[in-house]
Amino acid sequence: MEKAVKITPKNIVEDSRERPWKVETAPFRVAPHIYYVGNTWVGCFLLESSKGLALIDTAVVETLYLLLESIRRLGFDPKDIKKIFLSHAHMDHDGAARHLKELTGAEIYLAKEDDEWRRRPEADMSSSGFKIVPYEVDHYYDDETPIVMGGLTIRTRLSAGHTPGTTSFFVDTKDEEGKTLTWAMHGGVGVNTMNTAYLTKVHLPLSLQENFFAGCEAMKSIHVDICTPSHPAHSDMLERVREDHMDYRPFVDENKWPAFLDERANSLRSVLEAEKRG
């Protein structure tokens, strides 16, 4: 496989919609039994277990063929996907959910808060120019009850802020020597939907800003061996990929998770401070 590189062109969103082949990147492993199968704009992660595959986020429907190709290039059959875990109800993360469900028969998971939010008129994202495909949710997350698939244990945590139901994931998986490693992904750290003007426009409470700060602070205490972002631009993930795409060792860094949460919280603080200055 060719080496993945970090590509964040100014028109990356337009490319995803009009020229999706331009956001392609080769798949790679980020942790034992966890693979990156997204593109240079939106992250998607494939979980491998003895009970089948699971997928975290689907990206937009326009890039679905890239997602399927990445899964196949890793040697997996997309039809073995049993569960689709959605981090939140924005089209760049759930856009291909219905197509994948119809292809695979997989069950779709989403936070109840976002399942309710996405049905409100102000949540409509059709003006983005991407195809919006309705889908039905099969299960809501229960943060008190881990989801077990074979040797994987998937824990969820409501991480409101980017959306009311943004959900973060913590997956315990064993390496080749039997040691348990914890991989994590925050479900949504983009500050573009947490500024005061946006929240007011879509009739969401400003308390989501404080929810985000509190969530980041609280989750810093969770031990995480490997963390990767829901959008490559929020991290140096693509820059860490080695020539051997199965070598996940560059991603092992227990200090990265708390530093990442601090950086994203500070990013929102800077936005809110700029608002106060006018």
Side-chain angles (χ1 to χ4, degrees):
M1 294 181 180
E2 68 275 15
K3 191 179 189 303
V5 295
K6 187 172 184 179
I7 305 173
T8 52
K10 293 180 179 179
N11 61 341
I12 194 168
V13 176
E14 181 183 344
D15 280 344
S16 298
R17 183 177 58 241
E18 307 293 342
R19 299 170 292 276
W21 59 90
K22 287 184 172 291
V23 299
E24 179 185 16
T25 191
F28 52 91
R29 187 163 63 152
V30 297
H33 309 293
I34 303 176
Y35 306 83
Y36 186 80
V37 290
N39 53 65
T40 59
W41 178 37
V42 183
C44 302
F45 295 88
L46 188 72
L47 311 183
E48 173 195 13
S49 85
S50 60
K51 299 297 183 180
L53 305 173
L55 183 68
I56 296 180
D57 285 345
T58 70
V60 294
V61 72
E62 286 81 355
T63 60
L64 176 57
Y65 76 99
L66 298 178
L67 172 62
L68 296 175
E69 178 64 12
S70 287
I71 293 171
R72 293 189 181 107
R73 288 175 69 178
L74 290 168
F76 299 112
D77 185 346
K79 291 187 177 181
D80 288 335
I81 297 173
K82 307 300 182 184
K83 300 180 186 296
I84 298 170
F85 301 125
L86 299 176
S87 62
H88 60 280
H90 280 161
M91 52 75 193
D92 51 330
H93 295 269
D94 68 2
R98 180 175 170 180
H99 286 65
L100 279 167
K101 180 176 182 176
E102 292 181 353
L103 173 68
T104 67
E107 299 175 319
I108 295 177
Y109 289 68
L110 181 69
K112 181 179 181 181
E113 291 83 353
D114 264 19
D115 195 25
E116 295 173 348
W117 150 252
R118 72 190 181 98
R119 300 175 191 278
R120 291 165 52 178
E122 54 267 37
D124 178 30
M125 304 189 78
S126 58
S127 62
S128 66
F130 289 94
K131 185 175 182 179
I132 306 300
V133 185
Y135 61 91
E136 293 301 318
V137 173
D138 298 294
H139 302 283
Y140 295 137
Y141 298 119
D142 176 0
D143 291 358
E144 301 301 317
T145 306
I147 301 167
V148 179
M149 289 186 68
L152 299 181
T153 299
I154 302 125
R155 291 171 284 127
T156 60
R157 184 179 181 119
L158 180 65
S159 310
H162 188 67
T163 66
T166 293
T167 298
S168 295
F169 301 91
F170 301 85
V171 180
D172 295 331
T173 179
K174 293 185 182 298
D175 67 11
E176 294 79 3
E177 298 178 354
K179 178 184 177 181
T180 297
L181 295 176
T182 299
W183 168 86
M185 187 198 84
H186 192 297
V189 294
V191 299
N192 57 314
T193 62
M194 290 186 277
N195 64 74
T196 301
Y198 175 82
L199 292 173
T200 301
K201 176 183 176 181
V202 298
H203 309 298
L204 284 174
L206 297 184
S207 59
L208 284 176
Q209 297 167 343
E210 290 305 320
N211 291 153
F212 181 72
F213 290 134
C216 286
E217 187 62 31
M219 286 192 289
K220 283 165 55 178
S221 65
I222 300 174
H223 177 82
V224 170
D225 299 287
I226 301 168
C227 77
T228 43
S230 58
H231 282 274
H234 293 150
S235 172
D236 62 350
M237 176 183 65
L238 295 184
E239 295 172 335
R240 291 190 177 213
V241 179
R242 291 187 176 177
E243 185 174 355
D244 178 0
H245 282 209
M246 294 299 101
D247 185 359
Y248 61 82
R249 290 176 299 174
F251 303 106
V252 179
D253 184 350
E254 63 182 16
N255 297 314
K256 192 169 184 63
W257 174 246
F260 173 74
L261 295 176
D262 276 340
E263 187 276 326
R264 298 316 300 169
N266 288 333
S267 181
L268 178 57
R269 287 191 183 94
S270 296
V271 169
L272 300 183
E273 288 169 2
E275 289 180 352
K276 291 178 180 178
R277 293 194 299 268

